[in-house]
Amino acid sequence: MTRKVSPPDPGGVARRAGVVRSGYLRAERIMSRLEAAYPDAKCALHFSNPLQLLVATILSAQSTDKMVNTVTPALFKKYRTAEQFAHADTAELESIIRPTGFFRNKARHIKEACRIIAEKHRGKVPKTMEELLERRRQENR
């Protein structure tokens, strides 16, 4: 079976014409299949609020959920809000998350994400990825 390759779309015309919509529908179909195949699937990370989930997710990059779950209790006891994470002493934060690997980058990303959440979202993690990333895109312009 040959696959038709679309020409580049530098002006984004195809996106405006419904390509994004078809991608969304495809994602919905994939999610439906996954939910049917794994009806009891649960997140292996331990968290009790959206901020903790965000931090644990950042820590999970190139690490095991088990390792993240051993680090997060002390981390979440020390830092309870986005503002506390944003203003955390970098060396102290790095020492807590060191076992997860890539601790310097992870500390930087946690602090930056929490700074944006504290400043732009009044300390609350946005409900959608689009909202969370929108502020970052605006700052990078």
Side-chain angles (χ1 to χ4, degrees), residues 81-139:
T81 66
E83 190 169 331
Q84 288 175 342
F85 274 108
H87 297 298
D89 177 72
T90 303
E92 197 171 348
L93 180 59
E94 287 175 353
S95 71
I96 295 170
I97 67 172
R98 177 177 289 239
T100 66
F102 300 99
F103 59 94
R104 287 188 181 94
N105 280 333
K106 290 178 183 182
R108 185 170 42 88
H109 289 296
I110 289 168
K111 289 184 66 159
E112 178 65 11
C114 289
R115 182 190 65 78
I116 292 169
I117 290 167
E119 291 176 3
K120 310 292 184 186
H121 299 282
R122 291 178 279 189
K124 303 286 185 198
V125 176
K127 294 193 181 292
T128 67
M129 210 44 187
E130 184 63 32
E131 287 178 285
L132 184 61
L133 297 176
E134 179 180 327
R135 299 288 182 171
R136 180 97 190 245
R137 282 188 218 114
Q138 289 174 355
E139 288 183 359

Side-chain angles (χ1 to χ4, degrees), residues 47-59:
F47 64 95
S48 57
N49 61 53
L51 179 62
Q52 290 182 358
L53 176 59
L54 175 65
V55 170
T57 302
I58 292 170
L59 293 175

Side-chain angles (χ1 to χ4, degrees), residues 39-76:
D40 297 324
K42 292 179 179 56
C43 180
L45 298 171
H46 299 160
F47 64 95
S48 57
N49 61 53
L51 179 62
Q52 290 182 358
L53 176 59
L54 175 65
V55 170
T57 302
I58 292 170
L59 293 175
S60 71
Q62 300 296 314
S63 188
T64 64
D65 292 343
K66 183 177 179 181
M67 178 55 69
V68 172
N69 289 335
T70 61
V71 168
T72 52
L75 186 66
F76 296 155

